[in-house]
Amino acid sequence: RWYRDGIFLRETRNPAFEVAATGPADTGLYHVEVGNYAGFAISSAAPLTVAASELDYWTRSFFSEKELTDLSVSSPAADPDGDTLPNFFEYALNTDPRAFTKDAISFTSSSSMPDAFNISFQRVADPLLVYTVESSRELKEWTPVWTSTGQANAAGEVTVTADTSGDDQKFFRVYVSLP
């Protein structure tokens, strides 16, 4: 008989307990009770922690167990350091959610193109994220200028050169999302 956190799960004649697909709800302390005609034995508890994603691993590395239950501190939309970067962007831009971040994205003049500038930021190696630099003339419709996702998401600094030639004004933003 297999148990998670003291709650009976199932009886089996197999020496191993297998779960086809695990998720955070499977986290707990597992033990087994075995027996035969001579008696029975109870195993020691084995802890299992299941993280849902790289973002979940990151969140658990920065926040205590108590803070993980407080969504105003640890949710992807929370901003515990008050720097206007929610935790999701702190993760995606490889910054510390507990330290005020002033310049997570920098804009500098391009030395290779006179009518352009560079947009630079740190990227984490998470193939599930979609990084997009977008441009707009009126802040209503946005056009992708550069995109990175999947295996292209290597950790480190990214610099995108944004061309502004022929435009009186042009706005740019870095957009990060999950598909």
Side-chain angles (χ1 to χ4, degrees):
R1 295 181 179 196
W2 286 92
Y3 294 82
R4 180 182 68 231
D5 298 327
I7 299 170
F8 174 73
L9 295 173
R10 72 171 109 158
E11 260 185 71
T12 180
R13 294 192 184 275
N14 296 329
F17 179 72
E18 296 181 28
V19 179
T22 60
D26 295 307
T27 296
L29 292 174
Y30 287 78
H31 79 271
V32 64
E33 294 179 1
V34 294
N36 62 20
Y37 65 92
F40 73 96
I42 300 172
S43 72
S44 1
L48 173 68
T49 301
V50 180
S53 65
E54 292 297 321
L55 174 59
D56 190 47
Y57 283 116
W58 177 88
T59 302
R60 290 179 178 282
S61 73
F62 278 101
F63 301 108
S64 70
E65 287 298 321
K66 182 180 179 188
E67 291 169 325
L68 289 170
T69 63
D70 183 351
L71 297 181
S72 70
V73 173
S74 62
S75 78
D79 182 18
D81 58 10
D83 61 4
T84 72
L85 288 176
N87 287 334
F88 178 74
F89 286 98
E90 297 268 11
Y91 164 68
L93 300 176
N94 199 26
T95 58
D96 185 339
R98 298 185 167 286
F100 191 91
T101 304
K102 183 179 177 189
D103 296 318
I105 302 169
S106 67
F107 299 88
T108 57
S109 298
S110 171
S111 58
S112 61
M113 296 174 64
D115 291 332
F117 62 93
N118 296 321
I119 303 167
S120 300
F121 57 91
Q122 291 292 319
R123 172 178 59 192
V124 296
D126 185 338
L128 296 179
L129 296 181
V130 178
Y131 291 85
T132 308
V133 174
E134 298 176 321
S135 69
S136 176
R137 288 188 174 87
E138 75 295 320
L139 296 173
K140 291 181 183 173
E141 293 185 29
W142 292 88
T143 304
V145 173
W146 173 90
T147 301
S148 173
T149 191
Q151 297 308 314
N153 286 348
E157 184 174 47
V158 172
T159 299
V160 177
T161 302
D163 185 7
T164 59
S165 59
D167 291 311
D168 291 337
Q169 71 177 7
K170 201 172 210 181
F171 303 94
F172 292 89
R173 70 180 181 185
V174 175
Y175 185 75
V176 184
S177 61
L178 288 167

